[in-house]
Amino acid sequence: METKLNDRVPIKPSRHSFYLFLVILFIIVFASAIYIEADPYVIVQNGSNMFDLISRMFPPDWSYIVTTTPAMLDTIRMALLGTTMGTILSIPVMFLCARNMFHVRWLVEASRIGLNVLRTIPDLLLAAIFAAILGYSSLAGIVALSVFSVGIIAKLSFEAIENIDDGPLESMTAVGANKLQWIAFGVVPQIMPHFVSYVLYTFEINIRAAAILGLVGAGGIGLFYNRALSSFNYDQVLALILYTLVVVILIDLISLKTREKLL
């Protein structure tokens, strides 16, 4: 009997469901393209305009970088302040959203709904709203990035909290630890590496986001993007793009080294 079982050849799983999924996905994508009139031929038709615009970008106006350096520094400050404020605000939110922290169902669900609302609003729309409320300044950009950061950090962090090891928590409960001790000594040490990583990741995102918030009047380098585009100075636009690219790469490298040291 054992010989017969060992002699059986494994049956290769059917690929029909996978191929069916690909066919359905292709149909959905194709139908969506038709519905919104996304005709690829338009790109070919307007190819000459695209090449004309690109040719007008060269050579980049490097002198424009000197003019925009103060605004670029403001952009970095906006991202730093926005990430810091967002990190502080996300701490209570992430604990309220974790089901293994609070067993009051309505409180957890209400917190998650509120967090989903924050994550639904794009950063540019947040900047436009706060610019209308607080005035067209860097403050509006900082507040917008703070709210945007809460959506990212709290979302990723509460998922990390729900996946922690429950062993230390059960041991602390058994010896009579209160809720604050439970969180401080049982939860925080387990999620801290993830939390730091999420904060640094959010800072990298905010650098990119802060660079375009000026398009809606929220300060930073985006104001100069808007000005250069409005006046059709595409050589200045390319200079700003390359300048932003260098800054983002440097921030990414610093963030990577910081993450390696801390984690």
Side-chain angles (χ1 to χ4, degrees):
M1 184 66 179
E2 290 181 2
T3 306
K4 289 182 179 180
L5 288 174
N6 292 334
D7 290 342
R8 288 181 181 176
V9 178
I11 300 174
K12 187 176 181 181
S14 175
R15 305 282 291 177
H16 292 158
S17 57
F18 176 71
Y19 294 136
L20 179 62
F21 168 75
L22 289 181
V23 171
I24 293 173
L25 180 62
F26 176 78
I27 292 172
I28 291 173
V29 171
F30 187 72
S32 299
I34 293 175
Y35 184 79
I36 63 174
E37 299 180 358
D39 186 359
Y41 181 68
V42 175
I43 300 175
V44 178
Q45 218 172 16
N46 294 280
S48 58
N49 295 337
M50 180 175 64
F51 287 115
D52 177 60
L53 188 148
I54 292 174
S55 66
R56 291 168 63 184
M57 287 185 168
F58 291 92
D61 184 1
W62 299 115
S63 62
Y64 200 53
I65 290 178
V66 179
T67 307
T68 58
T69 295
M72 180 60 79
L73 294 175
D74 285 345
T75 298
I76 297 172
R77 295 184 190 106
M78 285 168 57
L80 181 61
L81 289 170
T83 305
T84 302
M85 291 175 61
T87 301
I88 295 170
L89 294 173
S90 68
I91 292 173
V93 176
M94 69 187 191
F95 285 111
L96 288 172
C97 289
R99 290 193 175 98
N100 57 340
M101 293 292 102
F102 294 94
H103 300 293
V104 184
R105 185 177 178 82
W106 68 265
L107 180 61
V108 174
E109 295 303 326
S111 301
R112 290 193 173 201
I113 291 171
L115 184 60
N116 286 333
V117 171
L118 287 183
R119 293 173 57 243
T120 302
I121 306 173
D123 50 354
L124 272 177
L125 180 56
L126 284 171
I129 292 171
F130 287 113
I133 296 172
L134 302 173
Y136 295 94
S137 63
S138 297
L139 179 61
I142 292 169
V143 176
L145 290 176
S146 300
V147 176
F148 179 68
S149 299
V150 171
I152 299 176
I153 298 172
K155 167 66 175 177
L156 296 174
S157 298
F158 91 70
E159 291 178 349
I161 292 173
E162 291 186 335
N163 290 311
I164 62 173
D165 182 12
D166 292 331
L169 306 183
E170 293 172 357
S171 301
M172 292 181 67
T173 303
V175 298
N178 59 40
K179 195 72 172 181
L180 289 177
Q181 292 172 329
W182 201 63
I183 292 174
F185 301 106
V187 179
V188 172
Q190 294 191 63
I191 67 163
M192 185 55 70
H194 300 288
F195 184 73
V196 172
S197 179
Y198 299 150
V199 170
L200 292 173
Y201 170 66
T202 304
F203 177 59
E204 295 170 15
I205 293 176
N206 282 343
I207 288 289
R208 298 173 178 86
I212 59 171
L213 293 187
L215 294 174
V216 292
I221 198 72
L223 293 171
F224 288 89
Y225 271 109
N226 194 21
R227 190 178 302 169
L229 286 168
S230 300
S231 56
F232 304 105
N233 292 322
Y234 295 112
D235 55 341
Q236 295 179 352
V237 173
L238 180 59
L240 287 176
I241 291 172
L242 296 175
Y243 192 14
T244 305
L245 175 64
V246 170
V247 170
V248 168
I249 291 174
L250 288 175
I251 294 294
D252 283 349
L253 289 174
I254 294 171
S255 177
L256 178 62
K257 293 299 181 183
T258 304
R259 193 182 292 114
E260 289 174 354
K261 295 292 184 182
L262 293 177
L263 305 181

